[in-house]
Amino acid sequence: MDMNIAVIGTGYVGLVSGVCFAKLGNRVICVDKDPGKIDVLNAGGIPIYEPGLRELAAAGRAAGNLTFTTDLSGAVRQSDIIMLAVGTPPLPSGEANLAFIEEAALEIADAMNGYKIIAVKSTVPVGTNERLGELMRSRTNERFDGISLPEFLREGSAIRDTLHPDRIIIGAASRSAADTMARLHRPLTERIVVTDIRSAEMIKYASNAFLATKISFINEIANICEKVGADVTKVAEGMGYDSRIGPSFLRAGIGYGGSCFPKDTRALMQIAGHVDYDFKLLRSVVEVNQDQRYNVIRKLETIFGGEMAGKTVAVWGLAFKPNTDDVRDSPALDIIRHLVDQQVKVRAYDPIALGNFQALFGKEGVAWCDDAMETARGADAVCL
């Protein structure tokens, strides 16, 4: 059935979710406090890079199913389901910063004009949904049901992951609210798991931590393979045919980055710490990942006999993964900073993320190039 949905936050999760739910025939209002973002969206643009998203958003707007606004109160009043997709960036301690989502929850409470389902798609620590419910009940007498609705989309393939999910997790205390959310998602998949709210919150962290563990594991295997003369690509292929292991996330490289794995692994360690549990395995995963990106530097130092100053090194790829312009916690940040500190002349290129990388890194100390081959021309080494 068609539903009236408000999505609060137009980052990767909120914007992709809103556009995809509109494609299914629901009436969706996407809300953001940043008027610049909303102006871009209303003009037919997309403030992030995600393949296919611009076209899908245009189709939703043309069909009258998708609108963008800064008016949170109006969106809440017109909607039956409110999805919170507000950022929860890490604090210096590694804990998730819940200030933005708590602020949004209070604004929703002030605007409510009847029963609503409040579905939290943001990645939040266990117990957060209950905390948000308490905050909202302190501001409104209207009835609502809280739902934990963790997302599992990947940047670069977010539309496919949303429209063809591996599974949908619904954490709910209300059976009727869970049934409503199940009906909303049933056009996407029959693999719908309904749990208690705290378990749903934990599933998101546990899933990302496990995937991060696979990445760090295969990178450690790759390091051993180099020393013993084995081919890690063949090792990973042989492992991947084992149904207990599977082939995904077994591609050795310079480690994970982006907005999810680094943040979520640190947050889960903090969650464990708060209940006096030392998550030794995950701590090692994070340490391995952080060190893995410096393997590039160590290889260069070996190749150049320790004489790095004055060398020219080209870097291809600045985002944390292909098909995205997201440079948050990209390994390239640490690698290029280290090269610059060693007086290496760095030439850098990325087909999509160059502008975002410059904004985060600063424009000094690096030659920014518009073409891959131009970047490599005259370089002593190329880092891919």
Side-chain angles (χ1 to χ4, degrees):
M1 65 181 188
D2 298 344
M3 301 190 187
N4 297 311
I5 302 170
V7 180
I8 314 301
T10 60
Y12 277 95
V13 174
L15 186 54
V16 173
S17 297
V19 168
C20 289
F21 281 121
K23 173 182 168 57
L24 297 178
N26 301 288
R27 290 171 292 278
V28 179
I29 305 172
C30 290
V31 182
D32 203 285
K33 299 190 78 170
D34 183 347
K37 267 190 177 183
I38 297 302
D39 288 344
V40 168
L41 289 163
N42 280 324
I46 296 291
I48 59 176
Y49 180 83
E50 183 63 39
L53 188 58
R54 182 189 298 269
E55 295 78 9
L56 210 56
R61 293 178 71 237
N65 290 336
L66 181 64
T67 56
F68 303 103
T69 183
T70 57
D71 181 10
L72 184 146
S73 296
V76 168
R77 287 193 292 270
Q78 296 176 63
S79 302
D80 304 309
I81 298 172
I82 319 298
M83 292 188 181
L84 274 163
V86 179
T88 54
L91 293 166
S93 64
E95 293 180 279
N97 184 349
L98 301 178
F100 304 112
I101 196 169
E102 289 179 354
E103 179 185 345
L106 291 173
E107 290 185 41
I108 291 167
D110 291 340
M112 282 176 59
N113 58 340
Y115 172 78
K116 312 285 182 184
I117 293 176
I118 313 298
V120 176
K121 291 189 76 69
S122 304
T123 302
V124 294
V126 177
T128 299
N129 279 265
E130 294 171 14
R131 165 68 178 156
L132 295 178
E134 292 169 359
L135 285 173
M136 292 180 64
R137 279 187 283 273
S138 72
R139 294 281 278 265
T140 183
N141 292 320
E142 299 284 3
R143 288 179 54 249
F144 65 89
D145 282 311
I147 296 285
S148 175
L149 190 67
E151 52 80 22
F152 302 97
L153 58 83
R154 299 164 294 174
E155 293 180 28
S157 59
I159 292 173
R160 185 189 182 284
D161 291 344
T162 302
L163 296 177
H164 305 281
D166 294 324
R167 78 291 200 197
I168 297 296
I169 306 297
I170 299 171
S174 161
R175 186 73 231 184
S176 63
D179 289 343
T180 298
M181 298 308 292
R183 287 198 302 275
L184 174 64
H185 289 89
R186 197 157 283 124
L188 305 176
T189 181
E190 289 294 326
R191 294 187 295 273
I192 297 174
V193 180
V194 178
T195 75
D196 61 279
I197 290 175
R198 288 188 170 225
S199 294
E201 291 170 327
M202 190 64 181
I203 286 169
K204 169 63 184 223
Y205 280 111
S207 297
N208 277 0
F210 185 78
L211 295 175
T213 300
K214 287 188 76 173
I215 292 170
S216 285
F217 178 84
I218 198 62
N219 283 334
E220 289 280 71
I221 294 297
N223 295 338
I224 298 171
C225 284
E226 288 194 356
K227 293 181 179 296
V228 301
D231 182 347
V232 70
T233 60
K234 292 300 182 184
V235 172
E237 181 184 1
M239 292 171 61
Y241 283 116
D242 189 323
S243 61
R244 298 167 300 174
I245 299 172
S248 63
F249 288 80
L250 288 180
R251 296 177 65 180
I254 55 175
Y256 58 77
S259 62
C260 292
F261 284 6
K263 174 174 71 76
D264 293 350
T265 49
R266 289 193 291 265
L268 183 52
M269 285 193 292
Q270 287 294 321
I271 292 169
H274 287 323
V275 291
D276 297 321
Y277 187 83
D278 182 8
F279 203 154
K280 296 176 184 178
L281 175 60
L282 191 55
R283 187 170 68 242
S284 295
V285 166
V286 172
E287 290 172 358
V288 166
N289 187 71
Q290 188 61 32
D291 184 65
Q292 185 69 15
R293 56 190 61 183
Y294 292 107
N295 269 351
V296 174
I297 305 296
R298 290 190 282 267
K299 288 177 185 291
L300 288 172
E301 289 173 340
T302 299
I303 291 166
F304 295 138
E307 299 296 327
M308 296 281 284
K311 298 294 184 182
T312 299
V313 173
V315 178
W316 284 353
L318 303 175
F320 82 96
K321 63 180 287 188
N323 288 323
T324 182
D325 62 354
D326 194 345
V327 299
R328 286 174 289 183
D329 208 12
S330 169
L333 285 166
D334 287 338
I335 291 167
I336 292 179
R337 283 171 181 151
H338 195 86
L339 290 173
V340 170
D341 288 345
Q342 290 188 299
Q343 284 78 55
V344 172
K345 299 172 185 176
V346 177
R347 300 168 60 80
Y349 168 74
D350 189 288
I352 300 167
L354 191 62
N356 286 351
F357 194 89
Q358 287 175 325
L360 194 60
F361 182 88
K363 295 189 177 182
E364 301 300 320
V366 177
W368 307 103
C369 302
D370 298 322
D371 175 81
M373 296 312 297
E374 172 201 346
T375 311
R377 192 169 293 116
D380 298 296
V382 177
C383 296
L384 174 59

